[in-house]
């Protein structure tokens, strides 16, 4: 299984942006997609989008289109998720997770990154 | 894209069975056999326990089983054990709109 290591906790002010990284241990970018999922305190899981290893690179959830951007750095086996125009409702733990291409499930998860939005 | 509907809670005594439903639409659960289930203990990342409606990853006990009928998927935990107490989430592929999670169910072992 691919091991995923995410960047550390962040504190941001309302209106700012945050960029969370997800580094894969054995990621060749040819067989795995990376998904981003968040969980607000005391709430359920919410899918933000996918960065695909091939083809059309990104698909974003409707609720986040225009605010989320997913990119990758092949040289460091790292995928990034940037969320802009932050509000208090964006306070959550953000997870990255792998999907073996066209498997349609998430088999490895990062440890999570807490993003706190507070003035 | 609305969340799939799950009951907020379910419970059972050790050794008993509990079944959790996950209701979607003809655009997600009803359209694809790509329903997966995740177990999440407090403070931990989710863990895959069922994929493609009823398949178990290696290492997941056969006490966990999944099924689907129409727009509703179900997860059954048989022979409940103390360590099964956790939150459970379903997820479905939804075509061009991506993926959608269920609202989550807290399972309590009495």
């Amino acid at each position: 299984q691919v091991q995923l290591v995410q960047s550390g906790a962040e504190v941001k002010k309302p209106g700012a942006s945050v960029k969370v990284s997800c580094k894969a241990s054995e990621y060749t970018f040819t067989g795995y997609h990376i998904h981003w999922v968040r969980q607000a305190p005391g709430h359920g899981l919410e899918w933000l989008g996918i960065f695909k290893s091939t083809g059309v690179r990104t698909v974003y959830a409707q609720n986040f289109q225009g605010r989320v951007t997913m990119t990758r750095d092949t040289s460091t086996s790292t995928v990034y998720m940037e969320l802009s125009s932050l509000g208090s409702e964006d306070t959550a733990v953000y997870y990255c997770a792998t999907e073996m291409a066209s498997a349609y499930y998430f088999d490895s998860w990062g440890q999570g990154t807490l993003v706190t939005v507070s003035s | 894209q609305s969340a799939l509907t799950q009951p907020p809670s379910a419970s059972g005594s050790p050794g008993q069975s509990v079944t959790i439903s996950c209701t979607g639409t003809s655009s997600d659960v009803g359209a694809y056999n790509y329903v997966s289930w995740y177990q999440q203990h407090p403070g931990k990342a989710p863990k895959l326990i069922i994929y493609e409606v009823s398949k178990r990853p290696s290492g997941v006990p056969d006490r966990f089983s999944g099924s689907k009928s129409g727009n509703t998927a179900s997860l059954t935990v048989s022979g409940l054990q103390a360590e099964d107490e956790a939150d459970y989430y379903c997820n479905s592929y939804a075509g061009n709109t991506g993926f959608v999670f269920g609202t989550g169910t807290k399972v309590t072992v009495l």
Side-chain angles (χ1 to χ4, degrees):
Chain A
Q1 272 190 335
V2 177
Q3 301 297 316
L4 302 173
V5 178
Q6 299 183 222
S7 49
E10 303 261 15
V11 179
K12 296 292 182 182
K13 293 194 181 303
S17 296
V18 68
K19 193 170 186 177
V20 180
S21 68
C22 174
K23 181 176 173 60
S25 62
E26 298 173 14
Y27 189 32
T28 64
F29 290 104
T30 58
Y32 289 90
H33 305 325
I34 297 287
H35 293 260
W36 290 90
V37 175
R38 78 177 185 180
Q39 186 170 36
H43 287 76
L45 302 174
E46 183 175 24
W47 183 78
L48 275 69
I50 176 177
F51 186 95
K52 296 184 179 182
S53 59
T54 59
V56 175
R57 293 297 182 192
T58 56
V59 177
Y60 302 137
Q62 257 184 326
N63 290 347
F64 297 95
Q65 284 181 8
R67 272 211 310 144
V68 69
T69 304
M70 296 175 188
T71 57
R72 74 177 182 188
D73 181 341
T74 305
S75 66
T76 60
S77 300
T78 301
V79 176
Y80 299 90
M81 186 282 301
E82 183 170 20
L83 189 63
S84 62
S85 302
L86 291 170
S88 58
E89 67 279 6
D90 294 313
T91 293
V93 175
Y94 289 76
Y95 294 101
C96 60
T98 58
E99 174 203 350
M100 197 163 49
S102 300
Y104 302 101
Y105 57 84
F106 319 130
D107 52 356
S108 291
W109 294 70
Q111 83 276 20
T113 296
L114 175 61
V115 174
T116 302
V117 183
S118 174
S119 55
Chain B
Q1 190 177 25
S2 299
L4 309 175
T5 301
Q6 297 181 232
S9 63
S11 62
S13 300
Q16 290 187 330
S17 295
V18 64
T19 296
I20 302 166
S21 61
C22 168
T23 302
T25 70
S26 57
S27 297
D28 39 60
V29 175
Y32 306 97
N33 286 325
Y34 293 128
V35 175
S36 52
W37 288 88
Y38 302 85
Q39 177 191 63
Q40 186 181 34
H41 287 107
K44 300 293 187 181
K47 173 190 172 185
L48 175 70
I49 55 173
I50 294 287
Y51 66 98
E52 290 180 17
V53 175
S54 61
K55 298 179 180 178
R56 279 187 313 277
S58 173
V60 173
D62 59 6
R63 302 184 291 103
F64 294 91
S65 62
S67 63
K68 190 186 90 167
S69 177
N71 297 337
T72 299
S74 298
L75 172 73
T76 298
V77 186
S78 305
L80 267 175
Q81 298 184 5
E83 59 262 35
D84 299 332
E85 185 161 296
D87 294 326
Y88 293 82
Y89 295 91
C90 60
N91 178 275
S92 177
Y93 178 61
N96 291 335
T97 55
F99 292 78
V100 59
F101 278 100
T103 49
T105 299
K106 181 176 181 60
V107 169
T108 300
V109 180
L110 301 172

